[in-house]
Amino acid sequence: MTAPDGIVLAVLLSLVSAAGYALAAVAQSRLAASAPSDGGGGALRALLARGQWWWSVGLNAAGALAHVAALHYGPLTLVQPLGALTLVAALPLGAYCARRRVTRAEWRGAFWTLAGLVGLISVTGPATPGDALTLREALIVASSTALLIVILARGGRNSAGSRAETSRRGRGLGHATASGIASGVASALTQTLTAALARELPGGATAWWQTTLIAVLLSAFAVGGLLLSQTAYRGGLAAPLAVVNLSNPAAAAVIGVALLGETFRAGVWGWLIAAAASAVAARGVVLLTTGAGAAPTTPSPAPVPTTPSLAPAPTTQASTTVAALVTAPVTSPLSTVAAPAQPLPPLRTDEPATVPAASPAPTPAPLAG
């Protein structure tokens, strides 16, 4: 297979990998939204008992296999930037699952991200596929990265005095950064393991226990990156996924340029174009992050004028009291005299009405002489 054919195949496999990772990210974010917020061992056991979690693991595994195949045919500095397409693919998928429309800001972010990726691909240098770390370099990278991941994973917990939402978001972004770095290191270790199995590892063939050690390190970083991303998605889908897609190629690029001898075309100009393309892609990711967090604005319905209704109003304690006061008969002060216990006998018209005689006025006593 010629070099151009290998590059094309690497790009196609990278697209398949991005689609698998996007589906897995949407599934993980929905699982994280329904998971309890304590994040303890009980929550992890409940998560592992759900079939949807294992579907997301399978999708991640399919994306990883396509990614490994892409790394076999293309350089690390080409394959890793294409992983940012995961965010572009997850954008409509996440909106569809949330039953909403993709906002204009999100589409602009997708355009900027794709433009930055095209710029990165155009200056990708002709590194030899199959380059790998030596066993010593692999151990140094693994140990230093593990320390960095521990710092990032624990950094968001020391946010005393901040609001709960800000603290949760900070922990999510820290976990997302750690997840991206772990995935980038896992990609570099994948190349090292492939070369070790083919007995083409720089520095000579390795013993079986050395190859096993590289495989264990690769598995640890892959599983750790998966669990860290699951924790990061508690703060939403867009922002953690954007940070993962930035830190993943950044870590891989550092390893590729510093240790694997990979570079960009056109010398200094290639580096400048790569820097500008990275800035464009970063702006796209920021737009995607801010746009995905806001719900699409829909015009509120105009208020309908209310007309008097003949239907009875809902009965409440207050309305019942008011209605009783309004409908109560108005009584005069004279009506407060108590009524007789029995009705008076009817007046007979055949007898003259007798008027009781007035009692004589008392005569004053004579004055004593």
Side-chain angles (χ1 to χ4, degrees), residues 17-340:
S17 175
Y21 283 136
L23 290 171
V26 173
Q28 285 182 269
S29 66
R30 293 177 65 83
L31 283 171
S34 60
S37 59
D38 54 359
L44 180 59
R45 287 191 296 269
L47 184 67
L48 296 178
R50 300 186 62 175
Q52 190 176 0
W53 159 257
W54 293 107
W55 274 108
S56 66
V57 172
L59 290 170
N60 272 304
L65 290 176
H67 182 74
V68 170
L71 287 173
H72 179 72
Y73 294 103
L76 191 65
T77 49
L78 170 64
V79 174
Q80 287 302 128
L82 288 175
L85 289 176
T86 301
L87 183 61
V88 180
L91 179 65
L93 290 174
Y96 176 78
C97 293
R99 302 190 179 210
R100 66 176 182 86
R101 292 184 178 182
V102 182
T103 62
R104 293 182 179 179
E106 292 173 330
W107 285 125
R108 287 197 300 268
F111 172 78
W112 280 82
T113 304
L114 287 175
L117 289 173
V118 170
L120 287 174
I121 294 174
S122 65
V123 295
T124 299
T128 303
D131 283 349
L133 300 170
T134 63
L135 180 60
R136 180 174 176 271
E137 291 172 342
L139 293 177
I140 293 175
V141 169
S143 58
S144 58
T145 304
L147 179 60
L148 179 60
I149 288 174
V150 170
I151 295 174
L152 289 173
R154 289 183 171 271
R157 298 183 181 180
N158 300 326
S159 55
S162 61
R163 292 180 300 178
E165 180 67 21
T166 304
S167 177
R168 182 171 64 90
R169 188 174 302 175
R171 288 196 303 268
L173 294 182
H175 291 163
T177 305
S179 174
I181 294 176
S183 300
V185 173
S187 299
L189 292 176
T190 300
Q191 285 185 320
T192 304
L193 179 62
T194 303
L197 292 174
R199 296 189 177 276
E200 297 177 354
L201 192 70
T206 58
W208 66 269
W209 64 270
Q210 294 174 332
T211 304
T212 304
L213 178 59
I214 297 175
V216 170
L217 291 175
L218 169 61
S219 302
F221 280 104
V223 174
L226 180 63
L227 294 178
L228 285 169
S229 65
Q230 178 65 59
T231 308
Y233 289 141
R234 291 178 181 174
L237 174 64
L241 187 58
V243 174
V244 168
N245 282 272
L246 276 178
S247 55
N248 189 332
V254 169
I255 296 174
V257 172
L259 299 175
L260 299 181
E262 298 183 2
T263 184
F264 298 101
R265 291 192 181 99
V268 177
W269 288 105
W271 285 92
L272 293 177
I273 294 175
S278 300
V280 171
R283 173 174 172 77
V285 171
V286 170
L287 287 174
L288 284 169
T289 302
T290 56
T297 57
T298 55
S300 58
V304 180
T306 58
T307 56
S309 176
L310 298 179
T315 304
T316 59
Q317 182 178 2
S319 60
T320 305
T321 305
V322 174
L325 293 176
V326 172
T327 58
V330 179
T331 58
S332 63
L334 297 179
S335 64
T336 58
V337 180

